[in-house]
Amino acid sequence: MKQRNRARSSSLFLLELIIAILFFSACAAVCVQFFVKSHTMSQDSKELNFAVNECTTLAEIIQSSDTESQAVSSIKDIFPNADIQMDAEATTMGIYFDENFKECTPANAKYIVNAGLETEHGLICGNITAGNKDNAGNIYELEVKHNEKR
């Protein structure tokens, strides 16, 4: 009779142990999800800070320039690898950055900052966007207008 009680108590202990392990496994799974989500949010925050900084830099260059050509010249000085295309109506440019947010060539780029400039009625208008090169969506977008001084 003592053998039967001993078997019942050991099976009960085993059942408790299995339930405790399942409970801690479920808690661990929830914690891992929190860590993954926080890492994703951190990466998104880094990308947004980068995009805001670069768009603001270009906007300040445009606002401090007297003409569109002076703005383009200043941007070329600061971003030597910028892909700038000028025509009679507008100027478009693309500045490429790698995964560490360093300026690079288009082949190695992960992020791109695009800017379009045009002068209308003495007003320099610029539309600046920053986004992931592989993704069609923009991380940040900024419009700037500045009076041209002649």
Side-chain angles (χ1 to χ4, degrees):
M1 209 148 148
K2 287 186 180 182
Q3 294 296 331
R4 286 187 182 173
N5 285 339
R6 187 180 219 176
R8 286 184 190 167
S9 66
S10 64
S11 64
L12 185 61
F13 176 71
L14 182 61
L15 185 61
E16 284 181 38
L17 190 60
I18 289 172
I19 291 173
I21 290 172
L22 288 175
F23 176 74
F24 285 117
S25 298
C27 290
V30 169
C31 288
V32 167
Q33 287 178 348
F34 285 141
F35 284 120
V36 169
K37 182 68 175 174
S38 69
H39 175 73
T40 303
M41 288 174 64
S42 174
Q43 185 63 30
D44 291 346
S45 176
K46 285 179 187 177
E47 289 177 353
L48 181 61
N49 283 334
F50 158 76
V52 169
N53 285 337
E54 295 306 320
C55 289
T56 304
T57 299
L58 289 176
E60 288 176 358
I61 291 170
I62 293 166
Q63 287 185 336
S64 67
S65 301
D66 293 337
T67 62
E68 182 180 336
S69 60
Q70 184 183 8
V72 171
S73 174
S74 297
I75 291 170
K76 279 184 187 178
D77 291 341
I78 295 172
F79 300 104
N81 293 329
D83 179 24
I84 299 174
Q85 299 170 352
M86 298 175 74
D87 61 21
E89 294 179 13
T91 302
T92 58
M93 60 190 81
I95 304 168
Y96 299 92
F97 298 90
D98 63 11
E99 62 274 353
N100 296 320
F101 308 113
K102 306 270 189 224
E103 188 180 2
C104 68
T105 61
N108 301 328
K110 181 175 179 184
Y111 303 102
I112 182 169
V113 176
N114 289 314
L117 293 176
E118 60 181 291
T119 303
E120 294 178 358
H121 309 294
L123 193 65
I124 303 171
C125 301
N127 184 21
I128 307 164
T129 60
N132 195 324
K133 185 180 174 192
D134 300 331
N135 190 355
N138 291 329
I139 298 171
Y140 188 73
E141 186 171 343
L142 181 65
E143 283 190 30
V144 62
K145 292 183 181 184
H146 176 64
N147 286 328
E148 186 177 47
K149 298 175 187 169
R150 291 185 183 196

